[in-house]
Amino acid sequence: FYVQTVTLTNSLAIPVTGPLYLVIAGLPNGVRLATAGAGLTQSAQPMGSSYVKLQLADGLTLQPGASISLTLQFLNPARVRISYNPEIHRTLGTP
């Protein structure tokens, strides 16, 4: 396992309403997001990308200036270099 802490901050002047998801697109072949609660996108492009739902402090919004930290765990048996494109999605269903 490889572990990474990610911090996301709302730099807007208004709250961001959720639910919010961090989509991890473009993981190398053989690398899998193994964080508890992770899934694969069903509608967000690129399809089949890993994602994790963000746990908002009030359950609904990320206030201006507020930050969220989460720990990502990657299964990487071949020990290849891990790179990906992070994207934030807001959706009522599975991304």
Side-chain angles (χ1 to χ4, degrees):
F1 280 100
Y2 291 82
V3 177
Q4 177 185 38
T5 300
V6 175
T7 301
L8 306 163
T9 302
N10 179 3
S11 60
L12 301 173
I14 59 172
V16 177
T17 303
L20 299 174
Y21 297 85
L22 175 62
V23 175
I24 308 294
L27 279 173
N29 288 335
V31 177
R32 182 173 64 86
L33 183 64
T35 302
L40 298 176
T41 60
Q42 298 174 10
S43 58
Q45 295 295 328
M47 298 282 277
S49 295
S50 298
Y51 75 87
V52 63
K53 185 175 182 178
L54 301 178
Q55 300 301 314
L56 303 173
D58 67 1
L60 181 61
T61 58
L62 184 59
Q63 296 297 320
S67 295
I68 252 179
S69 290
L70 64 146
T71 301
L72 301 177
Q73 296 178 339
F74 298 93
L75 182 59
N76 184 4
R79 296 183 181 187
V80 298
R81 182 173 186 248
I82 297 175
S83 62
Y84 59 87
N85 300 313
E87 301 174 5
I88 300 295
H89 288 258
R90 181 181 73 164
T91 180
L92 293 177
T94 301

